[in-house]
Structure formats: structure tokens, C-alpha cells
Amino acid sequence: MVTYMVDRKHPNIVYIYADDLGKGTLSCYGQKLFETPNIDRIAGEGILFKRAYANAFCAPARASLICGIHDAHAGRWTYSPGNIYKKISTGELTFNEVCEVIQHTGIQQYETRNFLAGILKDKGYVTGEIGKLEWGFATGPKEMKTHGWDYHYGYYDHIRCHGFYPPFLFENGKKVDIPGNKDPNCGRGPYELPPEGNLNPDMSDRKVYSQDLFDDKIKSFIHQHQEETFFLFHPSQLPHGPVFYPNYHPHIAHHPDLLPLEKEYVSMILRLDDTVGMILDELESLGIMDNTLIIFASDNGHTNKYYEIKGRTQTELSRDGRPLNQKDFPFRTSTFGDVFNGNDGLAGLKFSSWDGGNRICFMAKWDGVIEPGTISHQLISNYDTCATFADIVGRGQLTESDGRSYLPILKGEKEEEIHEYVIFASSTGPSIVTAEGWKLRLYIDSELFEEGTMSSLNLSIDRRVDKQLYHVLEDEAETNNLADQYPEKVHELMWILLKECDGNFYNGTPNAHHVKYPIDVPDWARICQGEI
């Protein structure tokens, strides 16, 4: 092993968070049809994790990341519905009214909680968040301040992030209009597309691309704070669907094996790769690369938004006409088809509790600390990052945290596992994965969701709860259910999982964390302001 001299000064930290990026779409994880050279550079000059887990979809992934807790607890946090900020564009609400609704809906976060940015801010870091919102489906200036951001620029609404031409964004809590972008839906592309993709799209209301705006703000932030210790968090929208890109990326414009819609999708990934390259170039040109930790990860597993191409890939019917279901017939490249094999040969996609929905790309580069070309098979989770940042700055162990610091793994100092197991929720129930490779996956019949809450005792014996056991180190694609062969292991893991769900498996579903606006939104805003 190479021996490095470690600078004792706290490093700058840059965290790049891709949106719905399947690890199989990156060439460092084996993608063959195109290359992602800048993202690959992070892996090649640092460490690539093979067993990193996150969450089933966007909102819980972001909450777990910035809170350091898994998403199957009871009442730790909630997320309110998205698309409320569209009401500003349509004239139904003012910005102040939107903020009132958000701040009076659901469980509010405490000032003393250990948030990702706040951990570093308390140790003198300048903190900046640029891109997609970092919390739930809708947020506001109060939440951003509470979470510890000195500077923030971007979206406050998840649904609006489905388009890349926003009529307005927010900078430090102030609404900033984007000239030329006039569509209230942020120039979102159609959800259903033919194989030809977006031929000759109407660009009359689409003038300024959001990732271009983010790149400019990222450059400015790095330049402005190059003499300070900073934390830059860039949650990108890319490559979240619906697929829309105004032109093909030059690297794949003439690719002979890709259909037009697939080229558009790859162009979105390569546009993110360009941003990664820009960040690496800026750090190098300023001479601060050697004291900067760079992390690249995705929020959840793969989703193939190019699925409308009949005969090439689908998500509802397999190639032989069988319907997908989340109980025992998940999406697989081999049976449903996927030209990119975006879930890297795993079962399932985003929203599911199969590993294809929750195992993510995760890599880090830190010159002089991480040995280049390291590949780690140790079990880590999205919710470990708060603990890791606290470890880096010497803050000590966090309270109310499920995370474990992966700093010793980055330094090459720890060969044993940091976790005995990790936990994640999904639309069909919670799962547990152990360091030894055992995975217990619960599939809960939808009828139980309709009953409201679910008794933990009833769930343990209810036949509508399917208990599936896999050994994902030996059976990575989850093809062999071992529950009948190892009933003792099922029992052992089920009760650990029940404890982690705070006594009710219902907490391991999104149903337990969603809140809805209680009455008509305009009236609710005015009630909060004391007008009616």
C-alpha cells in the first residue's frame, strides 16, 4: 500500500449528487456504449464503492443524506407535496404565501439537529448548495437557513426540477427571474416519447438551460472562497426524466447503435459529466485540488426514462409479454431489455426495494489521502455522510444518527466492515442488508396500506406480507429466494428490521412520511398569515 503525507488542515469538500443515475450507465462501472471520462477520473484517482446503498427515490434520499438517519423511522421527518411553486407562475400564490404553507405543514425540523451543512458550518466552513433542492419535494428559505447553508441557488420544488428551463430560481431566499424561460412547467419535456425523441422541439419558451446557470454559480462560489475552507454541494437534476435535451452531445451524436431518444438520454448524462470535468479543472487551476475531498454519488437506483421505445426496452411488459410486479417479477435487463443495462445487472429500478432501486454509484477522490484506483466492497449507506463529515472535522460521534463514518475506508485504515447492516424503505416495504450479504426484503400487500396503520404483530404473521431472503454477495441479481431454507435467518433479520422501523413496518414505506396540504392552498396560506 502507498504511504501518503496527510495535510492536517480540514479539506474543502465538494459533493456532486446525480439524480436517478443508474450505476450501470457509468463506464467506471462497466458501461460499454459510451464513456463518462470525468466521472471515471474521480474513481480512477480515488476510491470506487461497489456496495453503496441509498434509497428508493428522491425525497427520502435527500432527507437521509442531510440528516444522517435512514428513512424507515417513525416521525423523524416528513415531506410535503411538490409543484406548489408552479402557483407562483400561474398567479395563484405569492412567494410569501408558498413559504407560509410549507412552514406550517408537517413536522418542522429542530435548529439543533445535525444537518450535513451545519456540521461543517460549525467548524468554520463556508457552505454552499447549488442546484436541485436538498430537502423533500418542496422547501423554502427558512429550511435552507436551518440546514446550515451560507449560500444557496436553485430550485425549491422537486416537480419543477423535471424541466430544465425554469422561469425563476431562488438565490439566498430571493426569487430570481430567468429571462426567456416562460413555461410554468419549466420547459419540461413530454413524458411519453416516440423512438425519434424530441425532433425539432419548440424552444420559443426555452432559452436558458438550468445546468448552464448552475455551472456559472459553481465557478463563482469556488473562486470566491478559494482562500477559505468550503463545502460545495451540487445536487444536479441530471439525468432525471422526462428525457429532454435540445441537441445531441457531440460524443454520441453519430453513435451507430443508439436510437434518437437514447442519444438524448445519454446526452443528459454526458452533460453532467461535463460539469464534473469543469469542477475538477477549476480546482486544479486554482491549486486547491490537493486539499479537496470530492464525492460523486446518485440519490437512488436506475430508472430508464427511454422505455417508450417498443421492442428495445419496456418497464411494464417483459419481452415475452409478462407483466412486471414488485413481488416476484422485477425489472431485469435480461427479461425486459435495456440497451444500457443501467441497473448493472441487478433486479429492479427506482421506487423498488430490489437492489437495482437502491444500490448506487459512489466514489471519492482526495489526493494524498485516498490511494488511487482503490475498489471497496465494504457496506456503506447514503446516511453515513453526516457521520463522515463529523469525523473529518473532529466533531465526534453524532447524536440521533444511524450513520457510521467511512473516513477510515477512504484512508485505507479499516478493513473490517463499519456496518453490521443498513436499512432502507420502499413503496412495498422496508429491507435490511447485512455486511455478510444477507438481505431480507418485505413485500407488503397494498390492501394493508389501505387499512391505514399496520400492527407490527399482525405483520409478523400476516400472509399478505411476503418475506424474501437473498444472499446478495453470492446472488447479486436476487434470483434465489432462500426464505424457506433459512427460516431462522428470516426471523432474526425481521426483528432487527422491526426495531429499526420503531416498532411498525409501516414506517418503512413512504406512506408514513408524506403529508398533504390540509385545505385549499390559497386559504391555508391566508389562515397562516392571519388574514382569515
Side-chain angles (χ1 to χ4, degrees):
M1 178 176 177
V2 178
T3 301
Y4 293 95
M5 295 297 294
V6 179
D7 189 344
R8 296 301 176 186
K9 180 183 176 183
H10 296 156
N12 303 313
I13 300 175
V14 177
Y15 198 116
I16 305 164
Y17 206 35
D19 197 359
D20 286 5
L21 180 69
K23 66 190 185 77
T25 59
L26 301 178
S27 42
C28 56
Y29 281 97
Q31 177 57 229
K32 302 300 183 185
L33 290 174
F34 62 94
E35 294 183 353
T36 48
N38 298 302
I39 297 171
D40 289 2
R41 181 182 166 191
I42 297 175
E45 297 179 3
I47 184 170
L48 182 76
F49 285 87
K50 293 285 194 176
R51 296 188 70 205
Y53 282 84
N55 308 77
F57 65 103
C58 300
R62 291 159 206 280
S64 288
L65 175 66
I66 72 167
C67 292
I69 61 174
H70 65 65
D71 62 340
H73 283 296
R76 298 294 183 92
W77 40 261
T78 60
Y79 33 85
S80 53
N83 215 25
I84 188 172
Y85 280 89
K86 180 180 177 180
K87 295 180 182 296
I88 296 176
S89 293
T90 59
E92 297 174 70
L93 287 176
T94 67
F95 176 41
N96 287 338
E97 288 173 337
V98 169
C99 291
E100 286 293 333
V101 172
I102 292 172
Q103 291 166 12
H104 292 84
T105 302
I107 298 173
Q108 301 305 305
Q109 291 76 50
Y110 296 103
E111 295 282 348
T112 56
R113 181 163 291 173
N114 299 311
F115 292 111
L116 191 68
I119 291 168
L120 300 179
K121 181 179 173 66
D122 288 348
K123 292 295 184 177
Y125 278 69
V126 179
T127 61
E129 189 264 2
I130 298 169
K132 186 172 179 174
L133 69 161
E134 45 81 269
W135 179 263
F137 289 124
T139 192
K142 179 181 177 182
E143 288 73 22
M144 299 299 287
K145 182 178 179 181
T146 299
H147 297 168
W149 299 109
D150 294 312
Y151 175 79
H152 47 99
Y153 177 87
Y155 292 85
Y156 281 175
D157 190 307
H158 172 84
I159 301 299
R160 295 178 71 79
C161 295
H162 294 180
F164 294 84
Y165 297 87
F168 58 84
L169 293 173
F170 295 95
E171 187 167 29
N172 291 337
K174 295 182 179 180
K175 179 172 169 283
V176 179
D177 292 328
I178 311 299
N181 292 349
K182 301 176 183 179
D183 182 8
N185 291 316
C186 298
R188 184 182 67 207
Y191 282 100
E192 301 236 349
L193 289 168
E196 298 80 20
N198 291 294
L199 290 181
N200 302 313
D202 181 4
M203 300 300 291
S204 59
D205 291 339
R206 301 178 174 110
K207 299 300 181 185
V208 185
Y209 189 63
S210 57
Q211 194 65 36
D212 295 337
L213 294 167
F214 298 154
D215 283 2
D216 289 343
K217 295 297 182 180
I218 288 169
K219 286 182 183 179
S220 296
F221 183 86
I222 293 174
H223 276 261
Q224 182 179 353
H225 301 293
Q226 60 181 294
E227 301 296 331
E228 303 170 87
T229 306
F230 63 82
F231 169 44
L232 170 63
F233 180 46
H234 175 45
S236 176
Q237 300 163 262
L238 293 165
H240 194 295
V243 174
F244 184 91
Y245 203 73
N247 44 58
Y248 298 142
H249 194 283
H251 288 177
I252 50 85
H254 304 291
H255 199 298
D257 298 322
L258 296 180
L259 298 175
L261 186 58
E262 293 166 345
K263 290 181 182 180
E264 281 194 61
Y265 178 73
V266 174
S267 295
M268 296 170 76
I269 295 175
L270 295 181
R271 180 62 185 83
L272 175 60
D273 189 71
D274 289 343
T275 291
V276 172
M278 179 273 295
I279 292 173
L280 296 176
D281 289 345
E282 288 297 313
L283 295 171
E284 278 197 332
S285 67
L286 295 173
I288 55 177
M289 176 72 86
D290 61 352
N291 195 43
T292 300
L293 167 61
I294 304 162
I295 299 173
F296 182 92
S298 185
D299 55 352
N300 46 250
H302 184 55
T303 178
N304 54 345
K305 292 297 184 180
Y306 40 90
Y307 70 89
E308 292 87 355
I309 304 173
K310 305 306 179 186
R312 173 61 74 84
T313 177
Q314 297 174 294
T315 56
E316 299 300 324
L317 291 176
S318 66
R319 286 168 166 167
D320 60 2
R322 289 178 291 168
L324 176 146
N325 72 72
Q326 298 299 346
K327 181 178 181 180
D328 53 21
F329 192 55
F331 180 93
R332 300 182 191 276
T333 295
S334 59
T335 51
F336 285 79
D338 178 0
V339 65
F340 301 120
N341 188 27
N343 64 5
D344 197 22
L346 303 176
L349 298 170
K350 176 183 176 180
F351 295 116
S352 77
S353 61
W354 304 98
D355 267 16
N358 296 271
R359 272 180 63 184
I360 58 168
C361 57
F362 196 100
M363 63 198 76
K365 166 180 161 64
W366 187 0
D367 293 353
V369 176
I370 300 174
E371 182 175 3
T374 300
I375 295 178
S376 175
H377 294 275
Q378 290 181 263
L379 183 67
I380 67 167
S381 177
N382 184 43
Y383 54 79
D384 290 328
T385 300
C386 279
T388 303
F389 285 8
D391 196 5
I392 288 172
V393 299
R395 179 167 170 171
Q397 188 170 353
L398 299 175
T399 59
E400 296 187 9
S401 175
D402 297 311
R404 301 288 184 272
S405 172
Y406 50 75
L407 178 60
I409 302 177
L410 301 183
K411 290 182 174 181
E413 297 174 349
K414 194 175 185 68
E415 295 183 359
E416 63 270 22
E417 299 282 353
I418 63 171
H419 276 291
E420 292 183 23
Y421 55 81
V422 298
I423 304 290
F424 51 86
S426 79
S427 58
T428 55
S431 295
I432 179 173
V433 180
T434 73
E436 296 175 336
W438 291 106
K439 176 179 179 180
L440 178 67
R441 173 181 185 266
L442 298 188
Y443 175 85
I444 302 172
D445 192 288
S446 59
E447 292 180 5
L448 287 170
F449 294 143
E450 296 171 2
E451 294 175 8
T453 59
M454 301 182 289
S455 162
S456 59
L457 178 60
N458 288 343
L459 274 182
S460 67
I461 59 175
D462 199 310
R463 293 184 178 180
R464 291 176 293 179
V465 177
D466 193 49
K467 306 172 185 68
Q468 300 175 11
L469 182 70
Y470 301 94
H471 198 285
V472 291
L473 291 183
E474 299 175 359
D475 176 25
E476 191 174 48
E478 297 173 86
T479 59
N480 187 18
N481 182 2
L482 303 172
D484 290 340
Q485 292 178 240
Y486 299 95
E488 298 86 359
K489 180 59 69 174
V490 171
H491 182 80
E492 172 194 343
L493 295 180
M494 187 183 70
W495 289 105
I496 295 174
L497 187 57
L498 181 62
K499 174 181 70 72
E500 292 291 341
C501 291
D502 297 329
N504 194 333
F505 289 124
Y506 185 68
N507 295 323
T509 71
N511 308 57
H513 301 283
H514 279 298
V515 294
K516 296 181 179 180
Y517 303 126
I519 57 176
D520 181 68
V521 168
D523 286 346
W524 176 243
R526 293 181 178 92
I527 287 173
C528 292
Q529 293 176 317
E531 296 178 7
I532 58 176

